Amino acid sequence: MTTTPRLACFDLDNTLIDRDGAFVAWAEWWARREGLGDEAVEWLLTHDEGGFRPRVELFAMAKARFGLAAEVQELVDAYDREHPPFTSADSAVLDGIASLRTAGWRVAVVTNGGVVQQSLKLDRTGIGAAVDYCCISEQVGVRKPDPTIFKIAAARTGATLAGGWMVGDHPAYDIAGGIAAGLSTVLVGDHHRAAVTPEQAPTHHFESVLPAFQVILGR
Ligand SMILES: [Mg+2]
């Protein structure tokens, strides 16, 4: 008798990778290249909103603020290519993914974002090659918290959502979305603590993603 494998879903940014740390490193590099000082780095960190401000809006503001010559879309396209090289994955994260798959879990990244930037980050960090499937919202045409995106991940990996998990740092997207899909949930970090409502209450809350692997493995 064969049983359908269960699915463990993970958000990418600020869950499997330190997206905000990579943004700081990119901002320092970018400001130097543009001949701008620390003030530009501070400005970017202030207006980034953890990556949730639309990049077209951010770079339109940056163009006006710093008198940049390039068109806004050129700035956005360059950012999508130039930010991913600053990302990395801890070996413990890759080990955790491998241990889940060894134990029979299917593992999917479920991320809201653009195909170019997210694919480059998944390649750069090795996470794309480590998981069974990467579900990028722009590619599949649906975003967290819509439970459809988790159903797509289950279908593409041949897994069932029953008994599955969603691990992420955003209460409204990752946790509420996971709950809507019938998944148990782990909230990672405290990026968005102020936004937690009773409907977004996770099964567990940890400071990093690492304990989530142990919980899912049942240890
Ligand atoms: Mg995130």
Side-chain angles (χ1 to χ4, degrees):
M1 192 183 86
T2 57
T3 55
T4 306
R6 291 179 295 174
L7 184 64
C9 301
F10 292 84
D11 169 53
L12 181 63
D13 291 320
N14 288 329
T15 297
L16 291 176
I17 66 172
D18 175 13
R19 181 266 168 205
D20 287 352
F23 186 82
V24 173
W26 168 84
E28 290 172 345
W29 170 85
W30 181 86
R32 233 183 356 261
R33 189 190 64 182
E34 298 295 324
L36 304 170
D38 290 345
E39 181 207 2
V41 176
E42 288 303 315
W43 185 94
L44 284 164
L45 300 187
T46 300
H47 294 89
D48 173 46
E49 295 182 358
F52 286 96
R53 184 188 291 277
R55 299 298 90 169
V56 168
E57 188 181 312
L58 178 68
F59 282 100
M61 292 166 64
K63 179 177 167 66
R65 174 68 181 76
F66 299 109
L68 304 173
E71 295 302 322
V72 171
Q73 192 57 52
E74 291 172 352
L75 294 166
V76 172
D77 290 346
Y79 170 82
D80 281 347
R81 292 189 309 272
E82 293 168 351
H83 169 243
F86 292 94
T87 59
S88 62
D90 287 349
S91 59
V93 167
L94 297 174
D95 290 347
I97 292 169
S99 67
L100 283 174
R101 294 182 72 195
T102 298
W105 289 81
R106 297 286 159 84
V107 179
V109 170
V110 180
T111 175
N112 284 352
V115 172
V116 170
Q117 188 190 151
Q118 299 307 77
S119 295
L120 287 171
K121 286 192 283 196
L122 289 161
D123 285 349
R124 158 81 189 176
T125 58
I127 290 170
V131 299
D132 292 286
Y133 175 61
C134 297
C135 200
I136 302 173
S137 64
E138 185 182 68
Q139 198 159 40
V140 298
V142 58
R143 295 170 61 84
K144 297 175 289 186
D146 187 332
T148 305
I149 198 167
F150 299 100
K151 293 174 186 166
I152 291 169
R156 298 287 172 88
T157 57
T160 175
L161 288 176
W165 289 83
M166 172 59 191
V167 181
D169 72 302
H170 201 292
Y173 299 150
D174 298 320
I175 305 308
I179 291 170
L183 300 166
S184 298
T185 56
V186 177
L187 178 65
V188 174
D190 55 4
H191 297 95
H192 308 282
R193 286 300 287 165
V196 175
T197 70
E199 298 76 37
Q200 302 163 353
T203 314
H204 298 281
H205 178 210
F206 301 120
E207 284 311 301
S208 97
V209 70
L210 298 181
F213 295 114
Q214 301 305 316
V215 165
I216 297 171
L217 286 165
R219 292 175 185 164

